[in-house]
Amino acid sequence: MAKKLSAGSMASLFGAAALIFASIKFPWWGMKFYAPQYMEGLDIIVYPNKLEGDIDIVNGLNHYIGMAPFSNESFPELQYLPGLIMGLAAIIIIVALVRKKILLYVPPALLVVGGALGIYDMNLWLTKFGTELDPKAPIELEPFVPPIIGENILANFVTHSYFTTGSFLIGAGFLLTLLPFWLERRK
């Protein structure tokens, strides 16, 4: 008969589920735009279910380079991502309650696959917005792809892209899904 997960492993999985669930309330990613006329910077802040920040100003500026405007409606992922996150947290709780060691592979595997798909999706959107520029725009630029993380310079704007609180909570949750492998190593 297979041994059941220890209380420590169960607690680690419950902690992972709590962090992943809590990430819904925090921003996951952002961009900050600096220029001489915007010394304080303009923000785009991405939550799992909405965009916040200086969206209207950024859209107004992007019009000059022919970039399509963006909004919450532009990204269908914002409609279903919170449900996927809650589903993932629920799966982790189920694994903790069932207490079978073989199921320990499920949460980290789902997080790796989900993370890879999320990064891929972000790159698709950044590519679409940066390369599908209107050729009739007042300012003609070569197509570009803003980075997911890091700095980008475009005309007189310096842009910083970064992960933020929600992503760090997901990362901590991922680490907590790995901890049971260490806790159960001698059992």
Side-chain angles (χ1 to χ4, degrees):
M1 182 171 169
K3 299 259 184 189
K4 297 230 178 217
L5 294 179
S6 67
S9 292
M10 290 178 62
S12 183
L13 291 171
F14 285 132
L19 289 173
I20 290 165
F21 182 77
S23 76
I24 294 172
K25 296 295 182 190
F26 294 93
W28 281 21
W29 185 77
M31 291 181 89
K32 191 151 188 108
F33 304 84
Y34 295 97
Q37 65 273 38
Y38 297 102
M39 299 286 284
E40 72 287 350
L42 299 171
D43 291 300
I44 296 175
I45 303 164
V46 181
Y47 288 78
N49 61 342
K50 64 184 175 183
L51 301 176
E52 285 189 354
D54 303 302
I55 306 298
D56 291 337
I57 297 170
V58 173
N59 277 336
L61 294 168
N62 284 344
H63 161 76
Y64 291 107
I65 63 169
M67 186 181 286
F70 54 88
S71 65
N72 289 327
E73 292 73 31
S74 303
F75 305 100
E77 297 87 340
L78 299 176
Q79 303 302 312
Y80 61 80
L81 189 55
L84 290 175
I85 296 163
M86 288 186 279
L88 176 60
I91 288 169
I92 295 171
I93 290 169
I94 291 167
V95 168
L97 293 173
V98 172
R99 297 181 66 187
K100 291 192 178 190
K101 285 186 184 181
I102 191 68
L103 295 178
L104 283 178
Y105 294 95
V106 173
L110 289 174
L111 282 162
V112 167
V113 169
L117 289 173
I119 296 293
Y120 176 75
D121 187 57
M122 284 178 66
N123 189 60
L124 284 178
W125 282 112
L126 290 169
T127 300
K128 176 182 174 51
F129 278 94
T131 60
E132 295 179 9
L133 302 175
D134 183 350
K136 297 177 189 155
I139 299 171
E140 189 175 326
L141 289 177
E142 289 294 317
F144 65 98
V145 179
I148 292 174
I149 298 175
E151 183 178 282
N152 184 49
I153 298 173
L154 183 66
N156 66 335
F157 278 87
V158 177
T159 305
H160 296 277
S161 304
Y162 54 91
F163 288 112
T164 188
T165 309
S167 296
F168 300 141
L169 289 172
I170 293 286
F174 175 72
L175 292 176
L176 286 177
T177 68
L178 297 178
L179 182 59
F181 290 101
W182 184 78
L183 294 173
E184 302 295 326
R185 72 193 181 287
R186 293 189 195 137
K187 296 180 175 147

